[in-house]
Tab-separated table of all heavy atoms in Angstrom:
chain	number	residue	atom	x	y	z
A	179	GLY	N	100.519	27.624	28.352
A	179	GLY	CA	100.654	26.565	27.359
A	179	GLY	C	100.313	25.215	27.934
A	179	GLY	O	99.529	25.110	28.883
A	180	LEU	N	100.909	24.170	27.348
A	180	LEU	CA	100.597	22.787	27.724
A	180	LEU	C	101.857	22.030	28.131
A	180	LEU	O	102.956	22.348	27.684
A	180	LEU	CB	99.953	22.048	26.536
A	180	LEU	CG	98.716	22.643	25.884
A	180	LEU	CD1	98.230	21.722	24.759
A	180	LEU	CD2	97.597	22.882	26.894
A	181	MET	N	101.639	21.023	28.951
A	181	MET	CA	102.710	20.093	29.324
A	181	MET	C	102.233	18.672	29.086
A	181	MET	O	101.027	18.403	29.227
A	181	MET	CB	103.058	20.288	30.798
A	181	MET	CG	104.201	19.424	31.303
A	181	MET	SD	103.731	17.799	31.910
A	181	MET	CE	104.235	17.913	33.603
A	182	CYS	N	103.132	17.798	28.715
A	182	CYS	CA	102.756	16.382	28.604
A	182	CYS	C	103.950	15.479	28.853
A	182	CYS	O	105.094	15.901	28.800
A	182	CYS	CB	102.180	16.079	27.221
A	182	CYS	SG	103.411	16.163	25.916
A	183	MET	N	103.652	14.237	29.157
A	183	MET	CA	104.645	13.171	29.240
A	183	MET	C	104.220	12.081	28.277
A	183	MET	O	103.075	11.646	28.310
A	183	MET	CB	104.674	12.576	30.655
A	183	MET	CG	105.286	13.496	31.684
A	183	MET	SD	104.904	12.918	33.350
A	183	MET	CE	106.267	11.798	33.593
A	184	ALA	N	105.158	11.635	27.461
A	184	ALA	CA	104.848	10.555	26.521
A	184	ALA	C	104.869	9.216	27.258
A	184	ALA	O	105.366	9.115	28.376
A	184	ALA	CB	105.857	10.544	25.377
A	185	SER	N	104.356	8.203	26.600
A	185	SER	CA	104.389	6.855	27.181
A	185	SER	C	105.826	6.416	27.415
A	185	SER	O	106.740	6.796	26.683
A	185	SER	CB	103.728	5.854	26.229
A	185	SER	OG	102.383	6.169	26.061
A	186	ASN	N	105.994	5.600	28.427
A	186	ASN	CA	107.289	5.041	28.752
A	186	ASN	C	107.485	3.783	27.906
A	186	ASN	O	107.185	2.674	28.325
A	186	ASN	CB	107.300	4.723	30.248
A	186	ASN	CG	108.658	4.305	30.724
A	186	ASN	OD1	109.640	4.362	29.974
A	186	ASN	ND2	108.735	3.870	31.967
A	187	THR	N	107.954	3.976	26.684
A	187	THR	CA	108.053	2.859	25.738
A	187	THR	C	109.262	3.067	24.831
A	187	THR	O	109.750	4.185	24.677
A	187	THR	CB	106.777	2.779	24.859
A	187	THR	OG1	106.978	1.820	23.823
A	187	THR	CG2	106.458	4.108	24.201
A	188	ASN	N	109.745	1.982	24.231
A	188	ASN	CA	110.831	2.108	23.246
A	188	ASN	C	110.287	2.364	21.844
A	188	ASN	O	111.055	2.541	20.901
A	188	ASN	CB	111.672	0.821	23.212
A	188	ASN	CG	112.406	0.625	24.519
A	188	ASN	OD1	112.842	1.599	25.142
A	188	ASN	ND2	112.551	-0.620	24.945
A	189	ASP	N	108.999	2.351	21.707
A	189	ASP	CA	108.372	2.538	20.403
A	189	ASP	C	108.403	4.027	20.027
A	189	ASP	O	107.514	4.790	20.379
A	189	ASP	CB	106.926	2.016	20.487
A	189	ASP	CG	106.193	2.108	19.166
A	189	ASP	OD1	106.723	2.736	18.223
A	189	ASP	OD2	105.086	1.551	19.083
A	190	THR	N	109.438	4.415	19.312
A	190	THR	CA	109.611	5.847	19.028
A	190	THR	C	108.485	6.387	18.143
A	190	THR	O	108.131	7.553	18.248
A	190	THR	CB	110.973	6.143	18.363
A	190	THR	OG1	111.119	5.298	17.243
A	190	THR	CG2	112.109	5.924	19.331
A	191	ALA	N	107.916	5.542	17.309
A	191	ALA	CA	106.800	6.003	16.465
A	191	ALA	C	105.614	6.403	17.335
A	191	ALA	O	104.936	7.405	17.065
A	191	ALA	CB	106.397	4.912	15.477
A	192	GLN	N	105.387	5.649	18.383
A	192	GLN	CA	104.279	5.987	19.288
A	192	GLN	C	104.568	7.301	20.030
A	192	GLN	O	103.686	8.162	20.159
A	192	GLN	CB	104.042	4.866	20.303
A	192	GLN	CG	102.885	5.205	21.235
A	192	GLN	CD	102.579	4.106	22.235
A	192	GLN	OE1	103.011	2.964	22.065
A	192	GLN	NE2	101.841	4.448	23.271
A	193	ILE	N	105.791	7.447	20.510
A	193	ILE	CA	106.165	8.674	21.220
A	193	ILE	C	105.987	9.889	20.306
A	193	ILE	O	105.428	10.914	20.690
A	193	ILE	CB	107.620	8.570	21.733
A	193	ILE	CG1	107.717	7.461	22.790
A	193	ILE	CG2	108.095	9.897	22.299
A	193	ILE	CD1	109.127	7.133	23.224
A	194	GLU	N	106.451	9.714	19.060
A	194	GLU	CA	106.332	10.781	18.078
A	194	GLU	C	104.865	11.156	17.853
A	194	GLU	O	104.502	12.329	17.800
A	194	GLU	CB	106.933	10.259	16.779
A	194	GLU	CG	107.502	11.298	15.874
A	194	GLU	CD	108.166	10.603	14.676
A	194	GLU	OE1	109.128	9.829	14.887
A	194	GLU	OE2	107.686	10.824	13.554
A	195	ARG	N	104.020	10.133	17.746
A	195	ARG	CA	102.595	10.358	17.533
A	195	ARG	C	101.990	11.117	18.715
A	195	ARG	O	101.219	12.048	18.549
A	195	ARG	CB	101.919	8.985	17.394
A	195	ARG	CG	100.643	8.986	16.607
A	195	ARG	CD	100.317	7.578	16.076
A	195	ARG	NE	100.438	6.541	17.089
A	195	ARG	CZ	101.209	5.447	16.951
A	195	ARG	NH1	101.912	5.250	15.868
A	195	ARG	NH2	101.254	4.541	17.913
A	196	GLU	N	102.389	10.735	19.922
A	196	GLU	CA	101.843	11.395	21.113
A	196	GLU	C	102.260	12.871	21.164
A	196	GLU	O	101.428	13.749	21.408
A	196	GLU	CB	102.289	10.647	22.372
A	196	GLU	CG	101.634	9.276	22.494
A	196	GLU	CD	102.145	8.437	23.668
A	196	GLU	OE1	103.079	8.875	24.376
A	196	GLU	OE2	101.612	7.333	23.870
A	197	PHE	N	103.530	13.123	20.919
A	197	PHE	CA	103.990	14.519	20.935
A	197	PHE	C	103.317	15.334	19.825
A	197	PHE	O	102.945	16.494	20.022
A	197	PHE	CB	105.513	14.602	20.802
A	197	PHE	CG	106.264	14.229	22.063
A	197	PHE	CD1	107.447	13.509	21.997
A	197	PHE	CD2	105.797	14.605	23.321
A	197	PHE	CE1	108.165	13.170	23.149
A	197	PHE	CE2	106.500	14.273	24.483
A	197	PHE	CZ	107.688	13.559	24.391
A	198	ASN	N	103.184	14.726	18.646
A	198	ASN	CA	102.525	15.451	17.553
A	198	ASN	C	101.062	15.741	17.879
A	198	ASN	O	100.543	16.810	17.540
A	198	ASN	CB	102.626	14.660	16.244
A	198	ASN	CG	104.027	14.717	15.659
A	198	ASN	OD1	104.773	15.684	15.880
A	198	ASN	ND2	104.413	13.692	14.923
A	199	ASP	N	100.407	14.807	18.539
A	199	ASP	CA	99.006	15.031	18.938
A	199	ASP	C	98.893	16.210	19.906
A	199	ASP	O	97.986	17.038	19.790
A	199	ASP	CB	98.425	13.778	19.617
A	199	ASP	CG	98.108	12.678	18.615
A	199	ASP	OD1	98.167	12.946	17.399
A	199	ASP	OD2	97.819	11.537	19.057
A	200	VAL	N	99.818	16.277	20.856
A	200	VAL	CA	99.767	17.388	21.813
A	200	VAL	C	100.087	18.704	21.113
A	200	VAL	O	99.477	19.732	21.405
A	200	VAL	CB	100.716	17.145	23.010
A	200	VAL	CG1	100.755	18.355	23.923
A	200	VAL	CG2	100.263	15.930	23.796
A	201	LYS	N	101.008	18.657	20.165
A	201	LYS	CA	101.322	19.883	19.418
A	201	LYS	C	100.094	20.359	18.634
A	201	LYS	O	99.797	21.563	18.607
A	201	LYS	CB	102.514	19.638	18.482
A	201	LYS	CG	102.839	20.808	17.558
A	201	LYS	CD	103.220	22.081	18.303
A	201	LYS	CE	103.962	23.072	17.431
A	201	LYS	NZ	103.110	24.093	16.835
A	202	SER	N	99.341	19.447	18.021
A	202	SER	CA	98.148	19.939	17.297
A	202	SER	C	97.092	20.440	18.260
A	202	SER	O	96.413	21.431	17.960
A	202	SER	CB	97.529	18.941	16.313
A	202	SER	OG	98.068	17.695	16.400
A	203	LEU	N	96.971	19.808	19.411
A	203	LEU	CA	96.049	20.325	20.432
A	203	LEU	C	96.488	21.731	20.863
A	203	LEU	O	95.669	22.652	20.992
A	203	LEU	CB	96.020	19.375	21.634
A	203	LEU	CG	95.089	19.774	22.783
A	203	LEU	CD1	93.626	19.689	22.359
A	203	LEU	CD2	95.333	18.894	24.017
A	204	PHE	N	97.790	21.884	21.081
A	204	PHE	CA	98.348	23.190	21.462
A	204	PHE	C	97.961	24.258	20.418
A	204	PHE	O	97.484	25.343	20.757
A	204	PHE	CB	99.878	23.062	21.567
A	204	PHE	CG	100.602	24.354	21.847
A	204	PHE	CD1	100.832	24.771	23.150
A	204	PHE	CD2	101.070	25.151	20.802
A	204	PHE	CE1	101.505	25.959	23.409
A	204	PHE	CE2	101.738	26.332	21.059
A	204	PHE	CZ	101.952	26.741	22.360
A	205	ASP	N	98.149	23.943	19.149
A	205	ASP	CA	97.843	24.917	18.090
A	205	ASP	C	96.345	25.236	18.051
A	205	ASP	O	95.958	26.398	17.901
A	205	ASP	CB	98.282	24.375	16.723
A	205	ASP	CG	99.807	24.323	16.596
A	205	ASP	OD1	100.500	25.031	17.364
A	205	ASP	OD2	100.297	23.568	15.737
A	206	ARG	N	95.527	24.192	18.223
A	206	ARG	CA	94.082	24.420	18.213
A	206	ARG	C	93.659	25.322	19.368
A	206	ARG	O	92.867	26.246	19.202
A	206	ARG	CB	93.338	23.077	18.331
A	206	ARG	CG	92.840	22.569	16.996
A	206	ARG	CD	91.865	21.418	17.184
A	206	ARG	NE	92.536	20.279	17.828
A	206	ARG	CZ	91.943	19.430	18.659
A	206	ARG	NH1	90.672	19.586	18.983
A	206	ARG	NH2	92.616	18.422	19.169
A	207	ILE	N	94.195	25.036	20.551
A	207	ILE	CA	93.831	25.823	21.731
A	207	ILE	C	94.308	27.264	21.575
A	207	ILE	O	93.588	28.208	21.888
A	207	ILE	CB	94.419	25.170	23.012
A	207	ILE	CG1	93.666	23.873	23.311
A	207	ILE	CG2	94.356	26.126	24.197
A	207	ILE	CD1	94.231	23.061	24.469
A	208	ARG	N	95.532	27.411	21.082
A	208	ARG	CA	96.049	28.771	20.918
A	208	ARG	C	95.164	29.578	19.953
A	208	ARG	O	94.781	30.712	20.240
A	208	ARG	CB	97.494	28.735	20.405
A	208	ARG	CG	98.167	30.104	20.446
A	208	ARG	CD	99.550	30.067	19.869
A	208	ARG	NE	99.532	29.379	18.585
A	208	ARG	CZ	100.603	28.918	17.961
A	208	ARG	NH1	101.786	29.058	18.489
A	208	ARG	NH2	100.489	28.317	16.794
A	209	ASN	N	94.833	28.976	18.827
A	209	ASN	CA	94.029	29.705	17.837
A	209	ASN	C	92.640	30.035	18.353
A	209	ASN	O	92.084	31.089	18.052
A	209	ASN	CB	93.905	28.882	16.548
A	209	ASN	CG	95.251	28.723	15.865
A	209	ASN	OD1	96.162	29.526	16.106
A	209	ASN	ND2	95.388	27.702	15.043
A	210	ARG	N	92.109	29.128	19.144
A	210	ARG	CA	90.716	29.286	19.561
A	210	ARG	C	90.562	30.180	20.797
A	210	ARG	O	89.618	30.953	20.888
A	210	ARG	CB	90.166	27.893	19.838
A	210	ARG	CG	88.768	27.890	20.327
A	210	ARG	CD	87.914	26.945	19.528
A	210	ARG	NE	86.664	26.797	20.229
A	210	ARG	CZ	86.145	25.659	20.609
A	210	ARG	NH1	86.761	24.525	20.302
A	210	ARG	NH2	85.018	25.628	21.259
A	211	PHE	N	91.491	30.070	21.759
A	211	PHE	CA	91.306	30.776	23.038
A	211	PHE	C	92.352	31.849	23.325
A	211	PHE	O	92.142	32.690	24.186
A	211	PHE	CB	91.322	29.773	24.205
A	211	PHE	CG	90.246	28.733	24.127
A	211	PHE	CD1	90.530	27.462	23.646
A	211	PHE	CD2	88.942	29.029	24.519
A	211	PHE	CE1	89.535	26.497	23.568
A	211	PHE	CE2	87.947	28.066	24.448
A	211	PHE	CZ	88.242	26.802	23.967
A	212	PHE	N	93.490	31.766	22.655
A	212	PHE	CA	94.582	32.670	23.026
A	212	PHE	C	95.147	33.414	21.815
A	212	PHE	O	96.294	33.859	21.844
A	212	PHE	CB	95.708	31.885	23.720
A	212	PHE	CG	95.270	31.220	24.999
A	212	PHE	CD1	94.861	29.887	25.012
A	212	PHE	CD2	95.256	31.928	26.191
A	212	PHE	CE1	94.456	29.275	26.196
A	212	PHE	CE2	94.853	31.319	27.385
A	212	PHE	CZ	94.449	29.998	27.385
A	213	ALA	N	94.345	33.543	20.773
A	213	ALA	CA	94.848	34.144	19.541
A	213	ALA	C	95.367	35.557	19.782
A	213	ALA	O	96.276	36.019	19.094
A	213	ALA	CB	93.752	34.139	18.480
A	214	ASP	N	94.800	36.236	20.796
A	214	ASP	CA	95.214	37.613	21.080
A	214	ASP	C	96.315	37.679	22.142
A	214	ASP	O	96.660	38.756	22.606
A	214	ASP	CB	93.991	38.408	21.558
A	214	ASP	CG	93.330	37.760	22.779
A	214	ASP	OD1	93.533	36.544	22.998
A	214	ASP	OD2	92.623	38.462	23.520
A	215	LYS	N	96.822	36.516	22.568
A	215	LYS	CA	97.810	36.519	23.661
A	215	LYS	C	99.107	35.825	23.238
A	215	LYS	O	99.168	34.613	23.130
A	215	LYS	CB	97.233	35.776	24.881
A	215	LYS	CG	96.118	36.520	25.587
A	215	LYS	CD	95.956	35.975	27.013
A	215	LYS	CE	94.868	36.707	27.766
A	215	LYS	NZ	93.514	36.309	27.251
A	216	ASP	N	100.165	36.619	23.084
A	216	ASP	CA	101.459	36.035	22.723
A	216	ASP	C	102.017	35.173	23.848
A	216	ASP	O	102.923	34.381	23.634
A	216	ASP	CB	102.478	37.143	22.428
A	216	ASP	CG	102.108	37.922	21.184
A	216	ASP	OD1	101.324	37.393	20.374
A	216	ASP	OD2	102.598	39.062	21.032
A	217	SER	N	101.478	35.364	25.050
A	217	SER	CA	102.041	34.645	26.198
A	217	SER	C	101.669	33.159	26.215
A	217	SER	O	102.246	32.387	26.966
A	217	SER	CB	101.597	35.303	27.501
A	217	SER	OG	100.189	35.386	27.527
A	218	PHE	N	100.718	32.750	25.398
A	218	PHE	CA	100.439	31.307	25.273
A	218	PHE	C	101.445	30.747	24.269
A	218	PHE	O	101.182	30.668	23.065
A	218	PHE	CB	99.000	31.065	24.811
A	218	PHE	CG	98.592	29.610	24.868
A	218	PHE	CD1	98.008	29.074	26.009
A	218	PHE	CD2	98.812	28.771	23.779
A	218	PHE	CE1	97.653	27.732	26.064
A	218	PHE	CE2	98.458	27.425	23.833
A	218	PHE	CZ	97.877	26.903	24.977
A	219	ASN	N	102.619	30.418	24.763
A	219	ASN	CA	103.707	30.055	23.840
A	219	ASN	C	104.632	28.966	24.379
A	219	ASN	O	105.752	28.819	23.911
A	219	ASN	CB	104.518	31.309	23.491
A	219	ASN	CG	105.140	31.964	24.727
A	219	ASN	OD1	105.057	31.423	25.824
A	219	ASN	ND2	105.759	33.115	24.545
A	220	ILE	N	104.166	28.198	25.374
A	220	ILE	CA	105.044	27.177	25.953
A	220	ILE	C	104.469	25.781	25.746
A	220	ILE	O	103.320	25.503	26.113
A	220	ILE	CB	105.254	27.429	27.465
A	220	ILE	CG1	105.946	28.782	27.675
A	220	ILE	CG2	106.079	26.297	28.080
A	220	ILE	CD1	106.187	29.120	29.146
A	221	LEU	N	105.280	24.925	25.142
A	221	LEU	CA	104.938	23.510	25.065
A	221	LEU	C	106.044	22.750	25.782
A	221	LEU	O	107.175	22.669	25.303
A	221	LEU	CB	104.811	23.060	23.602
A	221	LEU	CG	104.419	21.598	23.394
A	221	LEU	CD1	103.121	21.240	24.108
A	221	LEU	CD2	104.299	21.285	21.903
A	222	SER	N	105.709	22.248	26.980
A	222	SER	CA	106.680	21.549	27.820
A	222	SER	C	106.574	20.062	27.546
A	222	SER	O	105.644	19.394	27.998
A	222	SER	CB	106.390	21.871	29.290
A	222	SER	OG	107.111	21.016	30.157
A	223	ALA	N	107.515	19.547	26.768
A	223	ALA	CA	107.463	18.135	26.373
A	223	ALA	C	108.877	17.636	26.167
A	223	ALA	O	109.712	18.351	25.607
A	223	ALA	CB	106.658	17.976	25.082
A	224	GLY	N	109.132	16.437	26.627
A	224	GLY	CA	110.435	15.811	26.415
A	224	GLY	C	111.220	15.675	27.696
A	224	GLY	O	111.333	16.627	28.465
Side-chain angles (χ1 to χ4, degrees):
L180 305 182
M181 183 272 242
C182 69
M183 288 166 88
S185 297
N186 187 7
T187 171
N188 294 325
D189 182 350
T190 52
Q192 181 178 343
I193 295 172
E194 208 175 298
R195 205 159 48 235
E196 291 175 356
F197 285 142
N198 286 332
D199 285 350
V200 175
K201 174 61 161 96
S202 9
L203 181 67
F204 175 89
D205 290 340
R206 260 192 297 147
I207 289 174
R208 190 183 48 196
N209 294 338
R210 178 129 168 235
F211 300 100
F212 298 95
D214 56 338
K215 289 200 179 73
D216 293 340
S217 55
F218 189 90
N219 60 6
I220 298 180
L221 182 56
S222 168

